[in-house]
Amino acid sequence: HVVDIKGATRFWVHMQKKQANGQLKLTKIPARLLKKSNKCDLALLKVDVGKYNLKILPCVLDTTFRIGQSVVVIGSPGAGRGVLPGTITGGKLSRIEVRKGIEYLQTDASINRGNSGGPMFNMQGKVIGVSTWKFTKAGGVAVEGLSFALKIKYLIEEMKGY
């Protein structure tokens, strides 16, 4: 999330790579800020894909979503605190929510602190959204299963020009 990048001159993307011995190793990849959006609380960073042998993920740009379709979310809940690095959770697409002109995909897949910015995939392995936030209380009552991701099509339009 874009918290406060005023004055920041260096950006890093932290990746975990599996070593030959099966151990995970944290790799810091330098990134360049292309654009930030306070509206959707995200920044677009550029990394050298070829230099680090990274794969570009396919995205779904159409808006054909079925309520009840299965989705998968990848993230690192508790990031920075050594809790559950690199988790995958599954759930169902519950609805399309529009808040302040921003389109979100609601799911019951677990999106927690540290998952933000991680991809939401359909079952064909294509990115349909980017994890952003969840409700923990509604009307003073604790709730579960109200997690949200920005629609990837909306995010691409918001970051247009890069």
Side-chain angles (χ1 to χ4, degrees):
H1 284 275
V2 179
V3 177
D4 183 11
I5 59 173
K6 291 178 186 170
T9 58
R10 291 184 178 181
F11 298 91
W12 301 92
V13 174
H14 295 241
M15 306 268 310
Q16 292 181 8
K17 292 189 102 177
K18 189 179 265 189
Q19 304 301 301
N21 64 4
Q23 296 288 324
L24 291 177
K25 179 182 177 189
L26 183 66
T27 303
K28 284 175 52 173
I29 300 173
R32 184 169 53 94
L33 177 67
L34 295 180
K35 189 173 181 179
K36 69 174 185 164
S37 171
N38 290 327
K39 182 177 180 181
C40 59
D41 193 26
L42 286 172
L44 180 62
L45 302 175
K46 180 173 178 70
V47 297
D48 187 339
V49 174
K51 181 177 180 181
Y52 295 96
N53 195 27
L54 302 173
K55 305 286 188 249
I56 296 174
L57 299 173
C59 299
V60 172
L61 298 180
D62 67 33
T63 56
T64 308
F65 296 105
R66 286 184 349 270
I67 302 306
Q69 79 179 70
S70 295
V71 296
V72 174
V73 176
I74 297 177
S76 295
R81 292 175 294 285
V83 181
L84 300 174
T87 64
I88 299 172
T89 58
K92 300 288 185 191
L93 185 62
S94 306
R95 68 177 277 161
I96 308 240
E97 175 79 17
V98 179
R99 292 182 161 251
K100 298 181 182 178
I102 301 173
E103 292 182 282
Y104 294 96
L105 302 172
Q106 180 186 334
T107 181
D108 61 351
S110 189
I111 295 176
N112 294 297
R113 186 177 182 170
N115 286 88
S116 299
M120 174 187 279
F121 294 94
N122 63 16
M123 298 315 288
Q124 289 72 46
K126 295 182 179 176
V127 178
I128 62 171
V130 175
S131 303
T132 53
W133 59 283
K134 75 174 193 171
F135 272 124
T136 54
K137 287 188 178 180
V141 177
V143 294
E144 289 294 325
L146 290 173
S147 298
F148 297 87
L150 278 166
K151 282 175 65 176
I152 197 69
K153 183 176 182 181
Y154 173 83
L155 187 58
I156 288 170
E157 289 171 7
E158 177 70 13
M159 298 294 184
K160 203 173 260 180
Y162 290 96

